[in-house]
Amino acid sequence: MLNIKNLQVKLEEEDKQILKGVDLTVEAGKVHAIMGPNGSGKSTLSYVLSGRDGYEVTGGSATLDGVDLLALEPEERAAAGLFLAFQYPVEIPGVGNMTFLRTAVNAQRKARGEDEMSAAEFLKVVRAKAKELQIDAEMLKRPVNVGFSGGEKKRNEILQMAMLEPKMCILDETDSGLDVDAMKLVAEGVNRLRSEGRGFLVITHYQRLLDHIKPDVVHIMADGRIIKTGGPELALEVENNGYADILNEVA
Amino acid sequence: MALPQRKQSATEARLAGLVLPAGGWSEPPRREALDRLAAMGLPDRRDEYWRFTRPDTLVQPEAPSARLMADDEAPLFGQTERLRIVFVDGVFDAAASDDLALEGVSIERLAETAGKDIHWARDLYGVLEARGQTPVQRPFAALNTAFASDGVLIHVTGRPSKPINLVYVHESETSDVILHHVVKVDAGGEATILENGPAAARFNKCMEVDIADTGKLHLVRAQGRDHDRRAATHVFARLGAESVFKSFTLSVNGVLTRNEVVVELTGDDAIAHVAGACVGDGDFHHDDTVFVTHDAVGCESRQVFKKVLRNGAVGVFQGKILVKPGAQKTDGYQISQSLLLDEDSQFLAKPELEIYADDVACSHGSTSGAIDETALFYLRSRGVPHTEATNLLTLAFLAEAVAEIEDADLAADIVARLEGWLARRS
Ligand SMILES: Nc1ncnc2c1ncn2[C@@H]1O[C@H](COP(=O)(O)OP(=O)(O)OP(=O)(O)O)[C@@H](O)[C@H]1O
Ligand SMILES: [Mg+2]
């Protein structure tokens, strides 16, 4: 489903190479996890895939179901089925959360040539999904992420994902800043979406999230490359021993 | 003090074509206004108060012509039950207007009151304007008081059931119109006045507002879409104790607009909110000049002005809060912000605080910025196309000003106009 081949990325403004040849394939129906030291390029990978400005792809490719992601505008990538849950969700004063969600859902439907969701239907669906994530009506009315706690912002990301029903979901440290109960809610939200046709790429520092969202494959990223790939046991190894052994082993 | 020769001749040239309406109670205050004007002269570009806005096309004897714009939008405030008073290029249109009778308010036309003794209006006409001439001169307002051809005198004695809507239709490419309204709100009275339309090629409008203790006035105005129109407007508001004045102005297009609002808080615990949103594209110069004087205890004032500018449009904000000695517990707030949609546009701001009391809380801020790239990317990453995302963020930027309109339906009308403006540029 998601095919990344030898992806190389530098900063647009500086002569700094961040991704130095990333190879990664996420199959439909599978959950892949990426772990790796701070600054190794995990968020950069997620931003480059979703089309954020400021990065220059100097080599390699990234496709989603055969579609060249790197040739598309961010909104086209979203319509093609890519979703990124941000490590730092953005606050947008003056734009109501509901308006935001509905605009996004309908924009994607329109881009795919589907009918827009009626206001009534939208309201029904969003209320049900918000309830599952324990997001109350008050939060839906407030401006996007403004005044939300760290955990509320992350739950709001998952609500967006649930509404948009993307094919390929990238979660960048969605577990950071979550208390134990919120972590469960988020994990349940993700697990509800798990299906044969959908792939997940879960970026995390902690095994704890992976207890709830069982990954099929775990990758270790360091210094802009995937340096090791394994099963769920790889995450346990990191949890117990840190990255030193793995880094030494590869060096 | 004699005027500089250039100013003197420019003023004389402008006055040459004007006729002071004679007779009736309004003649004495008109003559006094003319004397005031003769003493100060019309402004030129050297005047400090006109540093950011060139007054020459407002001063020149003939109004520069303004093409008419076919307005294809639904009539503004169309969903709101209202009493319409229509002026076409400044001329009252009886056929298009509603009957001026409405419970809780008396409405008369300035042009028709010559023989009547409307003492409440006589006590206000030109009086608040004259008070507003210090400490800063406002020559176009004096000109207005002297030469206004018509206007409405609105006396709010109760709580009229619907808003009074002044509709300004623009049909002549060369119309040069001067209207003067007087509004008096009695104790306990509450009314809403709506104003909309381009009015004329060149429009000079003055509104004097006197609100007695506990009275309330809401003013929502929209200055029509015609690109070439010019307008110099003044609001002079005097507020009694525990009274409320809330005004919001939408300006969509217009080659030159200068909106001055002068508020005097004279009774304790009064509240004045003055807000505006303008959107300009290209040949557009929009100036909000606001002066709020706190002269009583425990009053609140808010100034909220937002400007969206593109293709070389220019926005100006000159806003002042003056807190007089003894005006303790003043709560003053002022924000002026521009959203520059490109690098050609500019925003010139001169926020001022002058405080002579020690127990006050006043804050002001002025910013100028582009669309927030991070927010834009966030929206796009959710599938919202670039233009739609930009429009959404633009409306969000304007939201704080629009939020100053209390009535949700009126606010929705204003937002629809803003959406229309954005959509025509998408
Ligand atoms: N826009 C940018 N400007 C400057 N440096 C950047 C930028 N984006 C990324 N970098 C640098 O690239 C490297 C990789 O950053 P990235 O955020 O991708 O790491 P990460 O693996 O997500 O780290 P963490 O685990 O701390 O979230 C870091 O050294 C970071 O400072
Ligand atoms: Mg990161």
Side-chain angles (χ1 to χ4, degrees), chain B residues 81-102:
Chain B
E81 176 77 14
R82 65 215 203 276
L83 186 148
R84 288 162 42 99
I85 305 174
V86 181
F87 292 92
V88 178
D89 292 303
V91 178
F92 177 66
D93 183 341
S97 300
D98 294 322
D99 180 6
L100 300 191
L102 178 64

Side-chain angles (χ1 to χ4, degrees), chain A residues 156-167:
Chain A
N156 201 27
E157 294 289 289
I158 301 304
L159 174 63
Q160 292 164 37
M161 188 168 86
M163 289 304 299
L164 293 169
E165 301 183 324
K167 275 197 261 190

